[in-house]
Amino acid sequence: MEKNKIETRHVSIEFPGVKALSDIQFSVETGEVRAVVGANGAGKSTLMKVLAGANPGYTGEVLYNGKPVELRNPGAAKKLGIEIVYQEVDMALFPSQTVAENIMMNKLITGMKGKSVVNWKYIRTEAKKMLDRLHINIDVDAMVGSLSLAQKQMVLIARAVQGACSFLILDEPTAPLSTAETEKLFALVDHLIQTENIAVIFISHRLQEVLQICRSITVMRNGEIVHNGPITKDTTIQFIVDRMLGRSFEENFPKMQMEIGELAFEVRDLCDEEGMLKDVSLNIRKGEIVGISGLVGAGKSELCKTIFGARRKKHGQVLMDGKELKIKTPTDAVRNKLGLVPEERRKEGVLVDEPVYFNLAAANLPKFCSGILLNKRKQMDNAKEYIQSLGIKTPSASQLVALLSGGNQQKVAVGKWLAADCDVYIFDEPTKGVDVGAKHDIFTLIQNIAASGKCALYVTSEISEILAITDRTYVMYDGRITAELVTAQTTEDEIMYYSTGGKKND
């Protein structure tokens, strides 16, 4: 089978105040699964956007099978069979359209040869064939807005593969997926490279998955490639991390020992109107980090949003210091000193088209007013403090949040709630899509919040994070709490047992 190859020679790109890529020499050919890894801001996504035609301002050359090509727009990349599936799935889908329409969107936009009227039966049939090929059980007539995050990810992958794709770029593809869904994706990737002459470029911070699925690896740091090579039995996570960060790095996180105070926050018998949550109860003491663990679809995010007033409550109570809080909207939650860092940061956690200084003030705007007007100097002073204390990498406080890396966007999402001085902080998948260095920064930040006597609810499907940072953890399955565990006395196996529906008497 004839191989196709895409490569860059001396590619560089600059944004205001930042050299995003410097003299990049990169190549990948069909039949290969190549990992591209690096800390947040290393240049991974910038390089991939060059290949996808979304960063037209690059210098240097891109070659396709040895011949120079211009990738100055996404259309030029698609003609060469280069498709990209971005991490933020909601930014690329049409929620008010069906699954079939989203999968076949390229054909709907460009039109079908010889047809002046859309053949909707053809659209549904071809979309169904694509889903069957990927072993995805989703109704093609369902509205995309009604799907789970995992299902939306698979719809995007189906759309990318549906065309004449030779190079498929997956940006953090497993972040919203369960273990079973991830295994299905890996089986698909293996099929694509073995039988369909496709190259897969796999961007991920989950290094264990990188070692499992990829055959070669490119490591980036500060806009440069610092390592290229095959993945062998001697390629370890520690080896990759050291090159990502340019120094030796200890993977284990040192848990601070903190004094746990009196009971401060409670949830009693909480149910949502959609019927996902089933009599959920939990409590947090002052200075305590309490985890919510469970697989994708267990109801963790729904719990966070219901507590915060972003989903309608059917019945149940939320209490602070023994007093019931009346929370019907997020505004009510903020007024009662609750903060939520949501899972989908670009959609719900930050204002991507606003500057860093405004985002860091957004959760408590009255604090930054002079009279009835916002005071920019107050916002800038606040931003400078948190940029330094949180280690946010940005050329200035005036940089648009959309131009920051994923990890730095997450730090901004956390920082805005620190400025609001909440009593209870809810973190929903706070390290999704961030590198190990940023993860440790976020862990340290959350521990410092708890050390100040605040309550922290840490919600994640990553059991290793639960074991690293929490004092106690509740395990969810099918919208219910199936176990309450003391973290220091439990194991990954026990948490997984309850996460999959296990019961204490089994």
Side-chain angles (χ1 to χ4, degrees):
M1 189 177 293
E2 183 181 352
K3 298 283 189 180
N4 293 314
K5 184 178 183 179
I6 195 85
E7 59 185 312
T8 67
R9 290 182 184 170
H10 308 294
V11 163
S12 299
I13 190 167
E14 291 190 33
F15 299 124
V18 178
K19 182 110 180 191
L21 295 177
S22 180
D23 198 35
I24 296 296
Q25 317 269 23
F26 174 83
S27 68
V28 62
E29 65 177 25
T30 51
E32 176 184 6
V33 186
R34 173 172 288 272
V36 178
V37 303
N40 289 108
K44 308 180 302 295
S45 294
T46 303
L47 175 57
M48 295 305 106
K49 287 179 180 179
V50 169
L51 297 180
N55 265 339
Y58 66 86
T59 59
E61 284 188 309
V62 180
L63 294 90
Y64 181 81
N65 291 339
K67 297 180 180 180
V69 293
E70 293 291 332
L71 296 180
R72 306 294 177 178
N73 59 73
K78 287 181 182 294
K79 286 181 180 178
L80 296 177
I82 303 171
E83 296 280 354
I84 186 167
V85 176
Y86 291 107
Q87 177 184 351
E88 307 292 349
V89 296
D90 281 302
M91 307 293 285
L93 289 169
F94 298 88
S96 60
Q97 303 298 315
T98 66
V99 169
E101 290 167 324
N102 272 272
I103 290 175
M104 302 296 289
M105 188 56 64
N106 291 337
K107 279 195 165 50
L108 287 173
I109 292 172
T110 59
M112 291 177 285
K113 292 181 180 179
K115 304 289 184 181
S116 58
V117 178
V118 175
N119 184 334
W120 293 108
K121 181 178 179 181
Y122 168 82
I123 292 295
R124 287 192 292 271
T125 299
E126 291 301 306
K128 182 66 166 61
K129 286 180 182 177
M130 189 71 252
L131 291 176
D132 288 344
R133 175 176 152 196
L134 303 185
H135 307 291
I136 300 171
N137 184 23
I138 301 176
D139 182 2
V140 294
D141 293 319
M143 291 295 174
V144 160
S146 70
L147 301 182
S148 69
L149 204 58
Q151 290 172 318
K152 291 175 183 176
Q153 177 76 74
M154 298 309 281
V155 168
L156 268 182
I157 293 172
R159 179 203 291 174
V161 177
Q162 193 276 331
C165 178
S166 295
F167 301 90
L168 178 61
I169 303 168
L170 301 178
D171 187 2
E172 295 288 349
T174 64
L177 304 185
S178 68
T179 301
E181 289 163 335
T182 296
E183 291 301 324
K184 288 182 180 179
L185 173 63
F186 287 177
L188 168 63
V189 168
D190 188 61
H191 167 75
L192 293 175
I193 64 168
Q194 293 286 354
T195 65
E196 302 201 23
N197 200 31
I198 287 179
V200 176
I201 301 174
F202 192 87
I203 304 174
S204 180
H205 291 302
R206 296 182 173 184
L207 299 183
Q208 191 60 53
E209 293 180 353
V210 165
L211 297 179
Q212 179 183 348
I213 189 64
C214 298
R215 300 177 182 179
S216 55
I217 187 167
T218 296
V219 184
M220 299 187 69
R221 184 172 71 245
N222 297 329
E224 299 179 348
I225 291 177
V226 295
H227 175 78
N228 256 324
I231 291 177
T232 69
K233 60 181 178 61
D234 296 322
T235 308
T236 64
I237 289 177
Q238 189 68 51
F239 173 88
I240 298 171
V241 170
D242 289 350
R243 278 146 190 81
M244 283 170 56
L245 301 180
R247 54 185 169 84
S248 182
F249 191 82
E250 178 57 51
E251 179 68 15
N252 294 324
F253 184 77
K255 178 74 170 73
M256 291 169 54
Q257 296 302 312
M258 290 172 287
E259 182 177 345
I260 306 299
E262 61 188 14
L263 182 65
F265 183 74
E266 294 179 85
V267 174
R268 296 179 183 171
D269 302 320
L270 190 65
C271 295
D272 62 335
E273 286 197 346
E274 290 85 350
M276 180 66 199
L277 303 179
K278 304 172 180 71
D279 297 316
V280 174
S281 297
L282 60 90
N283 62 72
I284 313 175
R285 298 180 179 276
K286 291 182 179 180
E288 189 177 30
I289 303 173
V290 171
I292 300 289
S293 184
L295 302 178
V296 172
K300 303 186 302 299
S301 291
E302 290 82 358
L303 173 60
C304 295
K305 291 179 179 180
T306 304
I307 293 172
F308 195 66
R311 283 171 68 94
R312 292 180 66 85
K313 178 181 70 174
K314 184 177 181 180
H315 66 74
Q317 295 176 296
V318 177
L319 302 96
M320 181 79 74
D321 296 326
K323 179 182 178 182
E324 183 175 1
L325 305 180
K326 301 299 182 182
I327 299 176
K328 294 184 178 180
T329 67
T331 301
D332 296 333
V334 174
R335 189 179 296 118
N336 284 285
K337 307 197 80 173
L338 271 65
L340 169 63
V341 179
E343 177 182 12
E344 299 181 64
R345 58 175 171 261
R346 286 182 65 92
K347 183 181 177 183
E348 302 171 339
V350 292
L351 301 168
V352 294
D353 294 324
E354 296 293 340
V356 171
Y357 71 80
F358 181 81
N359 272 270
L360 288 170
N364 191 12
L365 289 176
K367 177 180 177 181
F368 302 98
C369 288
S370 295
I372 61 172
L373 299 177
L374 277 172
N375 185 312
K376 184 175 179 181
R377 179 171 292 279
K378 288 183 179 180
Q379 295 176 71
M380 292 293 284
D381 290 343
N382 173 73
K384 289 175 183 175
E385 175 185 344
Y386 285 111
I387 287 170
Q388 181 176 1
S389 63
L390 300 180
I392 300 171
K393 294 182 180 178
T394 177
S396 75
S398 298
Q399 178 79 303
L400 295 183
V401 168
L403 300 179
L404 301 183
S405 68
N408 287 302
Q409 288 180 5
Q410 189 72 319
K411 289 180 182 180
V412 171
V414 173
K416 77 175 187 182
W417 290 112
L418 294 183
D421 190 28
C422 298
D423 289 331
V424 179
Y425 290 87
I426 304 170
F427 300 92
D428 187 6
E429 300 286 358
T431 66
K432 188 177 83 172
V434 306
D435 65 80
V436 290
K439 180 186 294 187
H440 279 235
D441 291 343
I442 292 169
F443 278 8
T444 300
L445 170 63
I446 293 171
Q447 290 203 135
N448 288 339
I449 287 172
S452 68
K454 310 292 187 179
C455 298
L457 189 63
Y458 192 94
V459 182
T460 181
S461 55
E462 300 288 344
I463 298 177
S464 61
E465 296 183 12
I466 291 289
L467 295 173
I469 192 173
T470 67
D471 299 295
R472 285 185 297 122
T473 187
Y474 295 91
V475 185
M476 288 191 74
Y477 172 78
D478 192 28
R480 303 178 188 274
I481 299 292
T482 56
E484 178 187 351
L485 306 168
V486 176
T487 305
Q489 299 172 7
T490 190
T491 64
E492 184 170 348
D493 288 344
E494 184 179 26
I495 293 175
M496 181 57 72
Y497 171 75
Y498 290 118
S499 296
T500 54
K503 299 178 181 179
K504 290 185 178 181
N505 295 329
D506 287 357

